[in-house]
Amino acid sequence: MSERRTLRLYRMNGGVQRRVVSKDGRNNIRIDNIDGMVKLYLHDIWTTVVDMKWRYKLTLFVSTFLTTWFFFGVLFYLIAMANNDLNIEQASNHTPCVMNVATLTGAYLFSLESQTTIGYGFRHISEECPFAILTLVFQLVLTGLAEIFVTGAFLAKLARPKKRAETVKFSQLALVSKHKGQLCVMVRVANMRKSLLVQCQLSGKLFFPDVTEEGEKIQLHQESVDFQFDSNEQCPFLVLPLIFYHVLDERSPLANLTAENLKVRNFELVVTLNATMESTASTCQSRTSYVPQEFRWGYEFKPLSIGTHRGKYVTDFNYFDEIQLSSDSLLLQEPRNEKLLLEEEYSKD
């Protein structure tokens, strides 16, 4: 079954399935009507700037320079105006605060040259005006801090582990089949880069509506779903695509899942891979989610074609999302209607 067919099956019956987490791992929750949201964002300005979209970040970067150049250019122009430097008929012994600045454009160019350290030549500051010297010092200190902040935000956004997490691939479908005699939920995970991910751990969260014993309705109740690799709790070596298993035993929140009620259940399984990048030793997290329409009962993943070429293993990802019927015939049988079972018991009696 190809990925295109998988997406068609997911979108059947019209409508879009609501999710807590999208298939590409993004948070799919919108927050509205919070008083003081702007103030809260400004309190943590670093995170706000790092999380900005690139178009806003580039706008901030450009506007930071243009604003500071123009602002201090106006200050130098006002200083020149107060010192009577703009008067054409100046006394022969008059010393301007900033030499060769007679217009706002000249003051702007002096501010730009000072901040970008490409001066001084034609325009330069004199020793006769302490206020202009203090303004210049204040400009260099303030704009230096602003440049460090904006540049650091750029580097932080580029170096975020989130970008590394985008090269982790999850299977489009979650399968229910038997593995080593136990009924399991299976997902396939692959690392798409040559650099390794170490200390990999796959975990899950099951979101579903629930009602407590006191009658409280919880729209998104959470239960932990543990995944293992080949029934082994040790960290796997994610150098080739691997299949992770969750055993549907009595401890599982999906213990009562059957082929029949799978069609009417309302839940979302969020799967998260936590790993450490070998190149930087930073922790990255990648996630996806599965809704009931993306579960297949009685299917298993087709084995990937792994060959060799010039002494290297080669994995064919054309078969990454391909599935096949399980070899267990009991899983392939259609679930029997409870009404028919009762009628059979009644006829026996």
Side-chain angles (χ1 to χ4, degrees):
M1 183 177 294
S2 64
E3 184 174 341
R4 290 182 179 179
R5 185 180 175 188
T6 298
L7 295 176
R8 286 199 301 268
L9 289 172
Y10 164 62
R11 292 173 179 145
M12 65 181 181
N13 299 328
V16 179
Q17 174 69 40
R18 291 185 299 176
R19 296 176 181 270
V20 177
V21 176
S22 62
K23 289 295 289 183
D24 59 358
R26 298 179 184 274
N27 185 0
N28 204 30
I29 295 179
R30 179 178 174 179
I31 302 175
D32 285 332
N33 302 324
I34 297 181
D35 295 333
M37 174 62 77
V38 176
K39 185 178 180 180
L40 293 175
Y41 273 68
L42 292 178
H43 278 177
D44 189 9
I45 186 65
W46 173 256
T47 305
T48 302
V49 174
V50 171
D51 288 342
M52 275 184 179
K53 295 182 179 180
W54 277 110
R55 55 180 176 269
Y56 301 132
K57 193 180 293 292
L58 290 173
T59 302
L60 176 65
F61 183 81
V62 174
S63 61
T64 298
F65 285 97
L66 295 179
T67 302
T68 53
W69 292 342
F70 181 75
F71 174 76
F72 284 99
V74 171
L75 286 184
F76 285 117
Y77 182 76
L78 294 177
I79 291 172
M81 183 182 296
N83 196 45
N84 200 27
D85 296 342
L86 306 181
N87 188 5
I88 300 177
E89 299 178 357
Q90 297 177 353
S92 58
N93 61 347
H94 178 78
T95 303
C97 286
V98 182
M99 304 299 295
N100 301 311
V101 170
T103 62
L104 180 60
T105 303
Y108 175 80
L109 291 175
F110 173 75
S111 173
L112 185 152
E113 293 169 5
S114 300
Q115 189 169 327
T116 55
T117 66
I118 62 175
Y120 296 98
F122 181 69
R123 300 178 185 87
H124 60 276
I125 201 165
S126 67
E127 301 176 358
E128 302 297 329
C129 195
F131 187 71
I133 296 174
L134 292 176
T135 303
L136 178 62
V137 172
F138 180 70
Q139 177 188 9
L140 296 180
V141 173
L142 179 63
T143 56
L145 293 175
E147 290 174 14
I148 292 173
F149 181 86
V150 175
T151 305
F154 260 84
L155 294 177
K157 190 174 182 66
L158 289 172
R160 283 188 308 172
K162 182 179 180 180
K163 295 301 180 182
R164 177 62 176 90
E166 291 178 358
T167 57
V168 175
K169 183 177 178 62
F170 292 91
S171 58
Q172 289 290 328
L173 296 175
L175 309 182
V176 181
S177 185
K178 281 194 174 182
H179 176 70
K180 294 187 176 180
Q182 294 179 305
L183 192 62
C184 301
V185 174
M186 301 180 293
V187 296
R188 179 178 271 170
V189 184
N191 175 25
M192 307 298 290
R193 281 187 176 269
K194 289 185 178 180
S195 58
L196 297 179
L197 293 174
V198 296
Q199 298 180 354
C200 301
Q201 292 182 342
L202 194 74
S203 60
K205 283 290 184 181
L206 188 70
F207 294 88
F208 59 94
D210 192 21
V211 180
T212 64
E213 296 180 357
E214 295 78 16
E216 179 186 1
K217 294 182 179 180
I218 303 177
Q219 187 173 1
L220 288 176
H221 181 69
Q222 300 184 28
E223 291 283 350
S224 296
V225 178
D226 299 326
F227 279 88
Q228 300 175 353
F229 168 65
D230 203 16
S231 301
N232 191 341
E233 296 183 357
Q234 297 180 358
C235 297
F237 192 51
L238 194 60
V239 64
L240 292 173
L242 300 178
I243 299 176
F244 289 82
Y245 304 89
H246 167 68
V247 181
L248 297 178
D249 54 15
E250 64 278 359
R251 297 173 297 177
S252 171
L254 292 170
N256 58 349
L257 188 67
T258 64
E260 185 176 25
N261 64 26
L262 177 60
K263 302 175 182 179
V264 296
R265 290 283 296 271
N266 180 18
F267 66 86
E268 179 182 352
L269 176 61
V270 178
V271 178
T272 305
L273 178 71
N274 293 287
T276 301
M277 295 184 291
E278 182 188 38
S279 55
T280 61
S282 301
T283 302
C284 70
Q285 188 179 84
S286 183
R287 67 181 66 88
T288 189
S289 72
Y290 300 94
V291 292
Q293 291 85 353
E294 295 170 335
F295 277 72
R296 296 294 179 269
W297 189 278
Y299 284 84
E300 59 188 10
F301 289 105
K302 285 186 178 180
L304 290 178
S305 176
I306 301 178
T308 57
H309 178 69
R310 296 181 179 179
K312 295 182 179 180
Y313 284 99
V314 179
T315 305
D316 188 357
F317 275 84
N318 287 329
Y319 301 97
F320 183 82
D321 285 312
E322 295 291 331
I323 62 177
Q324 61 187 9
L325 291 173
S326 172
S327 58
D328 193 334
S329 59
L330 295 178
L331 290 174
L332 303 179
Q333 294 179 0
E334 292 293 332
R336 306 185 69 182
N337 194 311
E338 294 183 2
K339 183 178 179 180
L340 295 177
L341 294 176
L342 292 175
E343 290 178 354
E344 290 181 1
E345 292 179 1
Y346 180 78
S347 61
K348 291 180 182 179
D349 295 338

